[in-house]
Amino acid sequence: MSFWIEGLQSLAEPTVLVMIPLGVLLGVIIGAVPGLSATVGMALFLPFAFSLEPLTGLVLLLGIYNGACYSGAIPAVLLRTPGTPSSAATVFDGYPMAKDGRAGLALKISLIGSVVGGLIGAVLLAFSAPLLADLALNFGSPEYFAIAVLALTIIASLGGEAPVWKGLVSAALGLAIVSIGFDPVAGFPRLSFGNSQLASGLELIPLLVGLFGMSEALAQIEKLNAESNIMKRSLGRFKLGKRLTRRITPTLFGSTGIGFATGLLPGVGGDIGGFMAYNETKRFAKDSSQFGKGDPRGVAAAEAANNASNMGSLVSTYALGIPGNTQAAVLLGALLIAGIQPGPDLFTNAPGLVYGSFIAMALAYICLYFIGVGGIKIWARIIQVNPYYLWPVVIVFSVIGAYAVRTNVFDVLVMLGAGVLGYIMTKCGYPIAPLLIAVLVGPIAEENFRRAMITAGGSPEWLFQPLTASILAVAVISVVFAAVRGRRKESTYEMHSNSKSGIAADEDVSVK
Amino acid sequence: MDVKAYAPPAVSLLIGGLLIFLASNIPPGQLPDDPGPGMLPAIAGLGLIIFALPIFFIKVDSQLSAGEGNFPRVLLTVLIVGIYIALIEPIGFPLATLLFLVTEITFIGVRNVFLIIGVSLLVALLIYWMFRFGLEVPLPPTRLGEIVL
């Protein structure tokens, strides 16, 4: 109880309180702009958050995370293009509702779904993360090594639509990047080629800003076309009415549970949570004939689940220091940059920060409701922002963000290099998330492996301790499972592309 | 031969080989039974080779790659950003940013001169003042004769 009081006290700072609505507002704007995802927004604001007090900066980034997660539904409903991958399932019924002249209603339901899912998810996070942290207090180097390996393999194998091998190559590339600089045990400068800048390692902020901000700017500049695809749509009414509210209420709560549970698994992002909840809602509905044609329950299910899933992804981030998804990895990076190591000790060493951020997350969702309702018509217009001005400005933000870390041109060049790397990887179908997770988790895996080997006198017996072996077995199974699933998906794709080429493309849902 | 499909795994294999070579030249750890600082780069190199091989030899899908676009525009944008970075310290952040925005926005296709200059000037100064005076980040100033921005 005293921890909660400390959390409340740490929130009493006016700057922290201001950052909650400010972060949500920025997040809503960022998520609504086609091309700007929550990850890009968080990466761009990381240098700004870095200059603030740890809790203030964390609250700002969490606000952006929550706000963008909701507003990704705006382009999903109006343009059939999910603002964030989490909103992919929202398209199925949100877009048909907009075509029927019920865009306003779809946006209101997505807002209510986000707030209910996020708020309950934040409460579940606040109570489950300390339990996991308590359990992890007994972990030693072997268990931490195994968890780091699990996080790496599961994210590389399940984290997205790319084939498992491409995810694993991306993770290996991340390990190569994190090898640069002093090693964590002996302090030997690796792969620095006598360069003092390289010897101290690559800074995290330029890497993050480059991989997400700069690479997205390059990808969007490549796609710029003189013909704008923005269409103006009538929003229609916003009021739900009692009958509709009663109809969507069970969906909201059920999908929140599904979303949070899926979010607990490393690498399973809000998009998968949204799809699972959508499918289950459809399966259990008495009348499922309207799903895919504009059923409000479809929008409610997808949005409640993806927001709850994003909260679930934070459980392992706080309790173990292992990020559950890409946005959580950016948050983890922010904490590491501020000199804070997430993990079980954080709950007793910095309770003000941990519990303060839990309360701030719940407050952020309350703010989101008012910001969402108050500006629903304005947010719907943000999708019309001119990309010809937006992306050069994003580049300027990326440059200044990288420069601000150490007022050093070398970091800006690292950012540009990471941006080009991210752009090429995306272009060739290699996911960026496993690379980032490897950069963050690689040092944990290395340090704990080496410490465990030193402690065990060079014997690998510790790998066969029950808990360590079980976690490592799950890691191996996840890779095998993903490889088999990938082969099946590939043969199915080949069959489909042979039989109905050209038709599938029209039915695809593009995720920005 | 589809160069686009084979180039990324080939580069991965090369980087993997190079990493293993560099790791083999790193001295062993000082502590007894420590696998040493060369372990991580060696694992990264080995991983790159092992995981890139199936992509290289078995034709792992290529349908997931991003759609076609204006690739030369990306190359030139990278070049413009490179020049922008090189100019930040010699001519100062506000002027370098102004020049970058005017060049880039014009290059990607906007033709309204007043809007280009107006937006570029506003954004360059706004961001500069926000970081320099709001966040106290010591950005290189621009000197125009007696005036220091």
Side-chain angles (χ1 to χ4, degrees):
Chain A
M1 194 65 196
S2 63
F3 288 159
W4 286 103
I5 293 166
E6 213 168 314
L8 272 173
Q9 282 170 343
S10 63
L11 280 180
E13 286 284 324
T15 46
V16 181
L17 286 175
V18 168
M19 284 302 157
I20 298 173
L22 182 66
V24 172
L25 187 65
L26 286 168
V28 170
I29 294 168
I30 287 164
V33 175
L36 280 180
S37 64
T39 318
V40 174
M42 288 165 75
L44 288 176
F45 277 88
L46 197 55
F48 180 72
F50 169 63
S51 67
L52 303 168
E53 286 293 312
L55 180 62
T56 317
L58 185 64
V59 165
L60 174 74
L61 293 176
L62 285 170
I64 294 174
Y65 183 42
N66 298 347
C69 189
Y70 149 67
S71 65
I74 298 171
V77 168
L78 298 176
L79 298 177
R80 203 189 179 200
T81 304
T84 56
S86 298
S87 305
T90 310
V91 174
F92 296 148
D93 284 290
Y95 185 69
M97 282 180 78
K99 277 210 299 191
D100 284 352
R102 293 183 291 155
L105 198 59
L107 291 175
K108 185 78 179 282
I109 292 170
S110 71
L111 174 65
I112 291 170
S114 300
V115 171
V116 170
L119 203 55
I120 297 174
V123 174
L124 291 173
L125 162 70
F127 287 99
S128 53
L131 292 177
L132 183 61
D134 273 349
L135 191 74
L137 276 173
N138 300 320
F139 287 1
S141 289
E143 288 83 8
Y144 267 107
F145 165 72
I147 288 172
V149 171
L150 175 67
L152 269 174
T153 53
I154 212 163
I155 285 166
S157 53
L158 298 178
E161 287 185 19
V164 59
W165 302 114
K166 289 189 172 180
L168 291 168
V169 165
S170 173
L173 203 57
L175 291 180
I177 290 172
V178 86
S179 296
I180 299 169
F182 296 112
D183 86 271
V185 177
F188 182 84
R190 297 183 294 207
L191 312 177
S192 59
F193 310 102
N195 183 316
S196 61
Q197 307 259 29
L198 282 176
S200 57
L202 300 180
E203 281 287 327
L204 196 56
I205 289 182
L207 271 177
L208 281 169
V209 173
L211 284 171
F212 294 103
M214 188 71 197
S215 73
E216 189 63 41
L218 293 175
Q220 295 291 338
I221 281 173
E222 183 185 14
K223 283 188 265 178
L224 281 180
N225 194 313
E227 288 170 27
S228 170
N229 64 347
I230 304 297
M231 54 186 99
K232 288 180 182 162
R233 213 179 265 294
S234 150
L235 294 177
R237 71 183 175 96
F238 292 91
K239 209 165 182 289
L240 262 71
K242 279 183 189 166
R243 196 163 154 258
L244 185 55
T245 308
R246 267 203 304 273
R247 202 164 166 231
I248 63 166
T249 302
T251 304
L252 288 173
F253 288 102
S255 302
T256 298
I258 294 171
F260 188 80
T262 50
L264 290 173
L265 302 169
V268 181
D271 48 348
I272 295 176
F275 280 120
M276 282 184 71
Y278 181 87
N279 284 336
E280 292 310 302
T281 305
K282 190 178 168 185
R283 201 153 65 94
F284 283 101
K286 279 180 191 160
D287 172 21
S288 62
S289 63
Q290 290 306 303
F291 277 88
K293 295 174 188 164
D295 194 314
R297 288 172 296 176
V299 177
E303 284 301 307
N306 72 41
N307 280 272
S309 175
N310 284 337
M311 290 296 109
S313 299
L314 293 177
V315 172
S316 61
T317 314
Y318 274 96
L320 304 173
I322 304 287
N325 62 13
T326 321
Q327 294 87 3
V330 178
L331 279 177
L332 179 66
L335 289 171
L336 292 174
I337 291 161
I340 296 158
Q341 176 66 56
D345 293 334
L346 186 67
F347 287 75
T348 42
N349 292 345
L353 181 96
V354 175
Y355 291 88
S357 64
F358 289 158
I359 299 166
M361 256 183 279
L363 290 176
Y365 273 105
I366 294 168
C367 285
L368 175 63
Y369 180 77
F370 291 105
I371 289 171
V373 168
I376 209 159
K377 287 183 183 168
I378 302 166
W379 315 136
R381 284 205 190 98
I382 290 172
I383 57 170
Q384 294 167 16
V385 71
N386 191 333
Y388 285 84
Y389 296 101
L390 174 72
W391 295 109
V393 173
V394 167
I395 292 178
V396 172
F397 262 100
S398 302
V399 167
I400 197 169
Y403 187 83
V405 182
R406 297 188 293 188
T407 56
N408 182 332
V409 170
F410 176 79
D411 288 336
V412 191
L413 291 172
V414 169
M415 182 282 297
L416 181 61
V420 173
L421 176 70
Y423 164 78
I424 294 170
M425 285 176 67
T426 311
K427 184 104 180 136
C428 298
Y430 289 76
I432 298 176
L435 185 150
L436 172 62
I437 307 292
V439 166
L440 293 167
V441 173
I444 299 174
E446 181 189 17
E447 191 177 345
N448 285 293
F449 180 84
R450 289 171 66 183
R451 288 198 192 288
M453 287 300 280
I454 293 166
T455 312
S459 162
E461 273 177 17
W462 57 271
L463 284 168
F464 302 101
Q465 289 172 8
L467 187 56
T468 310
S470 311
I471 299 169
L472 289 173
V474 175
V476 173
I477 290 166
S478 81
V479 174
V480 175
F481 170 75
V484 172
R485 194 187 61 160
R487 289 295 302 164
R488 279 194 194 148
K489 215 161 80 176
E490 210 176 307
S491 34
T492 314
Y493 175 81
E494 277 167 16
M495 257 168 53
H496 274 260
S497 55
N498 288 340
S499 61
K500 47 177 189 177
S501 57
I503 300 167
D506 190 46
E507 294 303 316
D508 275 352
V509 171
S510 55
V511 181
K512 72 178 188 185
Chain B
M1 187 179 168
D2 186 0
V3 178
K4 239 176 107 180
Y6 285 104
V11 172
S12 301
L13 290 172
L14 277 176
I15 297 174
L18 184 69
L19 275 172
I20 291 174
F21 170 73
L22 292 171
S24 67
N25 288 327
I26 295 174
Q30 301 292 311
L31 296 164
D33 304 312
D34 178 9
M39 183 191 78
L40 190 64
I43 288 176
L46 208 62
L48 277 171
I49 292 172
I50 292 171
F51 304 137
L53 278 175
I55 306 173
F56 194 84
F57 288 111
I58 312 163
K59 198 176 176 260
V60 176
D61 75 330
S62 54
Q63 80 273 11
L64 288 168
S65 30
E68 293 300 313
N70 191 338
F71 184 63
R73 193 195 277 159
V74 176
L75 281 181
L76 275 167
T77 296
V78 172
L79 185 73
I80 294 169
V81 176
I83 296 169
Y84 169 41
I85 294 168
L87 287 177
I88 286 178
E89 288 190 336
I91 67 169
F93 180 82
L95 187 58
T97 304
L98 176 67
L99 290 176
F100 164 73
L101 285 172
V102 169
T103 314
E104 181 64 21
I105 295 171
T106 310
F107 166 65
I108 57 178
V110 179
R111 292 289 170 262
N112 187 331
V113 179
F114 292 109
L115 218 67
I116 294 171
I117 295 174
V119 169
S120 303
L121 198 64
L122 191 75
V123 169
L125 292 178
L126 209 68
I127 295 177
Y128 176 67
W129 281 325
M130 190 176 87
F131 273 81
R132 177 137 184 117
F133 303 110
L135 299 173
E136 295 177 356
V137 175
L139 293 172
T142 292
R143 293 170 199 282
L144 300 167
E146 294 295 305
I147 306 164
V148 179
L149 283 174

